[in-house]
């Protein structure tokens, strides 16, 4: 099962290597990892999607906690949360297919961010499912490149992972 | 007052009450050594290899409980520390390792003697720092000592670029550290402790399984009190030996792969296993499913990640072992468990750890047994890794904590001599014995020069079988006696070697010779090497076969 874990870390050099190294060394599988700074520039936040049963997750959490740079960990999988992922997709498009692709973009509320003579580049945000569906919908049109940021996630309502 | 970072480092070490560092100099750490030149409080022990410095620091810490410091230059100096750091990490030994690094502008350019030592050591340190901002030096040192010595102890690496060492800073040593992500739990949760008391009360066949965490936390006396109060026999991990006196009626010695049969039977048949500062290592458990199959497990450990890692515990208590045991003691009442005690004593009689003395050859077990008797069990014993290590711990009874200095988790050959050096330096007024094998000894015998230089009166027994005995034993059992790369064709006269280093050297080949030599070894003040030519066929017994449960 996939778990979504929110991790606050000190924004120290090497912290990403420590976290990534821990996962590979202990044999945990990372599905995606997104990282960026928070409103406090000294603190970064990672959203890690990791595969495993409850026991694995318990180990992941405990081992992460052992890293001195890790401040807080929240497995938010089972809690109400908002999650988003950003995707950019470049598709080959000629005059006839451009219109179809733009219609698909419309359905998924994706934006056209680049309009080339032979290509269209779409940008979309949404849950993993939505992004997957968009990818499937565009597959018949010869995708030239595609990249996803990995999921970021936040608890809903009054609950939070920050230190405040 | 403004001083250089290198000078500040020395001041920081003095503030941490460090009076000793083990190390080996080089270009990238020149300023630090220059600052050490002026220090009246810190003695530097020059080893003959950086690995020796790391191992000696580790031996010093194991024997004293203090945070040990080792240092080296960048590149090869730093990589030579790596095995010693891993060894300390696996056994939770508090160490601060300081490495020189090429100048900040050169970092990342493959400069001469540049290696990414914080990267290389990342999986084998508790934490590490690459110091780029000179002003941070005092707080980094403060944090390093704090992290190394608190919670579950471990090694911390500090990498100091050459140019940073020369920068002048305003020196002030912080009184406290702030580490928002580091906050070890010391006090066990009261309701968990209460539950543990209840489990103990309801148990008829309790066993205490005590590891190195008990020694690290100074909990040995408290543990003994618990054992005596509830009449529970105590089995030890290799790292836990000495937590209860080895000759105590409740002590069952080491369990696991080469543990006593009675220790393994007690664990297999207990109804309550109280694990204290131990981590259910595979050398201890054998086949997990057959480990303490009828028992409820209470697991007391300061490291929450150990709980549930290898074995599911019914009642985890996260906390410092001493603090938790003290709290537990307040909640329990004396228990006799008479039938169980007798059962265990019967197993002890039925399955003693023994060896056959019938052959002409000198038995390694006899050597250890006699050393034990001759020293009244009062020596600090360091070992290397192999058969001799197992014989050492089977036949030397450790009557106090920190009496055994050995490489447990890493099983690191070559630790013995430098480990013994560190132990002897840490405990100058006590007898330190090294029990080594001819293979392991040759991995670190360059450090004999260090021992000689420091005038250390080490008593070194090499249980010499002219082979890598432990591996040969494995090949005998698991490779159909196809012996590959385990017999030495060239053998060394270790007694003659001793003379070269200004030590006494003896060779013994029989029990009679052993008896003759023992007084000569122990009744004179200097260092001695005894080359014991032992029965080459001897195996370590008992032995739990691969994949089997320890009770089978
Ligand atoms: C650094 C290192 N290399 C290899 C091994 C694998 N190993 C374990 S025991 C052993 C043989 C040890 O031989 P010796 O020191 O002579 O002791 P003996 O077993 O003969 O008593 C070896 C090679 C090890 N533990 N450590």
């Amino acid at each position: 099962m996939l778990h979504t874990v929110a991790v606050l870390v000190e924004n120290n050099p090497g912290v990403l290597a420590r976290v990534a190294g821990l996962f590979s060394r202990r044999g945990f599988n990372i599905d995606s990892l997104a990282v960026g700074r928070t409103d406090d520039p000294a603190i970064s936040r990672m959203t890690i999607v990791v595969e495993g049963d409850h026991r694995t997750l318990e180990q992941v959490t405990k081992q992460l906690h052992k890293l001195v740079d890790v401040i807080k960990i929240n497995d938010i999988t089972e809690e109400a949360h908002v999650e988003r992922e950003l995707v950019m997709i470049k598709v080959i498009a000629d005059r006839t297919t451009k219109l179809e692709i733009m219609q698909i973009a419309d359905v998924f509320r994706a934006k056209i961010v680049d309009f080339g003579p032979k290509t269209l580049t779409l940008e979309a945000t949404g849950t993993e499912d939505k992004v997957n569906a968009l990818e499937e919908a565009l597959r018949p049109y010869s995708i030239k490149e595609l990249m996803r940021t990995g999921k970021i996630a936040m608890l809903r309502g009054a609950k939070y992972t920050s230190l405040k | 007052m403004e001083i250089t970072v290198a000078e500040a480092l020395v001041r920081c070490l003095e503030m941490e009450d460090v009076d000793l560092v083990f190390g080996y100099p080089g270009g990238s750490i020149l300023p630090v050594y220059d600052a050490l030149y002026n220090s009246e409080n810190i003695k530097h022990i020059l080893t003959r290899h950086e690995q020796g410095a790391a191992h000696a620091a580790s031996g010093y810490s194991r024997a004293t409980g203090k945070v040990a410091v080792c240092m080296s230059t960048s590149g090869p100096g730093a990589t030579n520390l790596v095995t010693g750091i891993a060894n300390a990490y696996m056994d939770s030994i508090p160490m601060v390792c300081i490495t020189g690094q090429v100048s900040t502008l050169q970092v990342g350019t493959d400069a001469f003697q540049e290696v990414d030592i914080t990267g290389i050591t990342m999986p084998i340190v508790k934490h590490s720092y690459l110091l780029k901002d000179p002003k941070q030096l005092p707080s980094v040192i403060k944090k390093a000592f704090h992290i190394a010595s608190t919670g579950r102890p471990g090694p911390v690496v500090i990498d100091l670029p050459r140019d940073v060492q020369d920068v002048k800073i305003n020196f002030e040593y912080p009184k406290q550290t702030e580490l928002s992500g580091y906050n070890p739990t010391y006090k066990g949760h009261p309701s968990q402790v209460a539950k543990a008391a209840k489990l103990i009360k309801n148990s008829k066949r309790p066993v205490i399984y005590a590891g190195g965490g008990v020694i690290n936390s100074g909990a040995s006396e408290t543990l003994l009190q618990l054992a005596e109060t509830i009449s529970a026999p105590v089995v030890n991990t290799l790292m836990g030996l000495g937590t209860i006196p080895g000759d105590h009626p409740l002590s069952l010695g080491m369990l696991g792969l080469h543990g006593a049969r009675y220790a393994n039977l007690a664990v297999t048949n207990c109804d309550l296993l109280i694990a204290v500062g131990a981590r259910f290592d595979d050398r201890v458990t054998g086949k997990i499913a057959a480990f303490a199959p009828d028992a409820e497990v209470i697991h007391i450990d300061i490291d929450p990640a150990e709980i549930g890692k290898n074995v599911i515990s019914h009642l985890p208590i996260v906390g410092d072992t001493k603090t938790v045991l003290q709290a537990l003691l307040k909640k329990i009442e004396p228990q006799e468990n008479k039938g169980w005690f007798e059962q265990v004593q019967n197993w002890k009689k039925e399955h003693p750890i023994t060896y056959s003395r019938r052959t002409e050859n000198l038995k390694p077990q006899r050597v250890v047994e006699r050393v034990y008797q001759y020293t009244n069990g009062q020596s600090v014993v360091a070992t290397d890794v192999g058969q001799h290590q197992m014989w050492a711990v089977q036949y030397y009874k450790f009557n106090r904590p920190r009496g055994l200095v050995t490489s447990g988790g890493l099983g690191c050959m070559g630790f013995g001599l430098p480990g013994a050096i560190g132990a002897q330096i840490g405990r100058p007024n006590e007898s330190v014995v090294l029990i080594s094998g001819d293979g392991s000894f040759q991995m670190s015998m360059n450090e004999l020069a260090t021992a000689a230089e420091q005038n250390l009166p080490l008593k070194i027994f090499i249980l010499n079988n002219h082979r890598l005995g432990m591996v040969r034993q494995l090949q005998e059992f698991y490779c159909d006696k196809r012996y590959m790369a385990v017999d030495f064709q060239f053998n060394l006269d270790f007694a003659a070697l001793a003379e070269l280093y200004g030590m006494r050297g003896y060779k013994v080949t029989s029990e009679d010779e052993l008896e003759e030599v023992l007084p000569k070894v122990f009744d004179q003040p200097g260092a001695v090497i005894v080359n014991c030519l032992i029965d080459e066929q001897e195996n370590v017994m008992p032995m739990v076969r691969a994949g089997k449960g320890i009770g089978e």
Side-chain angles (χ1 to χ4, degrees), chain B residues 170-475:
Chain B
N170 222 330
F171 180 72
E172 198 186 331
Y173 200 55
K175 291 208 170 55
Q176 272 171 340
T177 51
E178 234 183 85
L179 287 158
S180 41
Y182 180 75
N183 215 341
T185 309
Y186 284 90
K187 209 167 151 283
H189 199 287
S191 79
Q192 294 295 89
V193 174
K195 279 186 205 155
K198 212 181 227 167
L199 281 180
I200 289 173
K201 188 167 176 217
N202 293 335
S203 84
K204 302 261 176 306
R205 305 188 306 278
V207 166
I208 297 172
Y209 152 51
V214 176
I215 292 178
N216 275 343
S217 132
S220 304
E221 272 173 42
T222 323
L223 185 97
L224 181 60
Q225 251 177 300
L226 173 70
E228 287 179 340
T229 310
I230 63 171
S231 315
V234 178
V235 295
N236 280 131
T237 67
L238 179 62
M239 295 309 296
L241 288 166
T243 50
I244 171 171
D247 54 12
H248 193 284
L250 286 171
S251 168
L252 303 184
M254 190 173 71
L255 82 161
L257 180 67
H258 290 302
R261 177 94 182 118
Y262 46 84
N264 288 342
L265 281 173
V267 170
T268 308
N269 291 285
C270 70
D271 67 354
L272 177 68
L273 188 72
I274 309 170
V276 193
R279 58 188 177 88
F280 298 86
D281 178 78
D282 52 289
R283 294 292 132 129
V284 157
T285 59
K287 189 167 86 189
I288 292 257
F291 184 75
D294 306 328
E296 303 238 43
V297 176
I298 301 174
H299 192 178
I300 304 170
D301 204 292
I302 196 153
D303 181 359
E306 285 306 338
I307 286 164
K309 187 180 80 179
N310 296 332
V311 161
I312 293 169
S313 59
H314 305 84
L315 186 75
I317 308 180
V318 176
D320 166 55
T321 54
K322 187 172 180 179
T323 316
V324 172
L325 289 178
Q326 280 171 340
L328 186 58
L329 272 175
K330 292 204 186 102
K331 296 244 176 280
I332 55 171
E333 276 157 27
Q335 231 166 285
E336 282 206 353
N337 305 318
K338 242 191 173 155
W340 176 232
F341 181 78
E342 277 160 19
Q343 168 71 79
V344 171
Q345 297 306 318
N346 282 341
W347 281 328
K348 256 189 173 176
K349 276 187 218 116
E350 282 165 36
H351 309 281
I353 289 198
T354 52
Y355 59 97
S356 132
R357 276 179 67 191
R358 264 169 304 182
T359 57
E360 283 302 288
N361 297 333
L362 179 62
K363 293 287 180 179
Q365 299 94 330
R366 181 68 185 165
V367 178
V368 177
E369 198 168 59
R370 289 296 294 134
V371 170
Y372 167 65
Q373 290 161 352
Y374 210 88
T375 57
N376 292 319
Q378 291 303 306
S379 288
V380 175
V381 176
T383 81
D384 261 298
V385 171
Q387 291 181 315
H388 65 275
Q389 179 188 32
M390 293 298 110
W391 290 318
V393 299
Q394 286 177 336
Y395 292 90
Y396 202 101
K397 291 192 170 54
F398 296 94
N399 286 324
R400 49 193 182 148
R402 304 195 183 281
L404 171 64
V405 172
T406 198
S407 167
L410 193 66
C412 179
M413 289 172 71
F415 169 71
L417 179 58
I421 288 172
Q424 183 74 79
I425 289 173
R427 287 161 73 168
N429 302 318
E430 291 182 57
S431 151
V432 175
V433 169
L434 167 63
I435 295 175
S436 187
D438 50 323
S440 297
F441 192 74
Q442 289 184 73
M443 279 204 180
S444 281
M445 68 185 180
N446 49 336
E447 299 302 344
L448 281 173
T450 312
E453 198 162 84
Q454 303 296 333
N455 288 313
L456 304 177
L458 296 176
K459 314 296 182 188
I460 301 170
F461 291 81
I462 298 173
L463 304 185
N464 188 346
N465 47 15
H466 297 145
R467 54 183 56 164
L468 300 172
M470 186 57 103
V471 180
R472 195 182 145 106
Q473 177 168 349
L474 294 176
Q475 291 178 348

Side-chain angles (χ1 to χ4, degrees), chain B residues 16 61 65-68 92-96 126 141-156 182 184 186 216-217 302 320:
Chain B
E16 291 291 340
S61 177
K66 294 188 205 163
V67 182
S92 308
I93 305 300
M95 233 158 70
V96 171
K126 190 166 169 191
I141 301 293
K142 180 84 193 172
K143 285 176 190 164
F145 275 83
H146 178 67
I147 292 168
S149 60
T150 53
R152 179 179 181 172
V156 177
Y182 180 75
Y186 284 90
N216 275 343
S217 132
I302 196 153
D320 166 55

Side-chain angles (χ1 to χ4, degrees), chain A residues 7-11 15 35-38 40-46:
Chain A
V7 186
L8 291 181
V9 299
E10 306 247 16
N11 193 4
V15 63
V35 55
R37 73 161 180 79
T38 62
D40 178 350
I43 294 174
S44 293
R45 176 162 168 155
M46 299 181 177

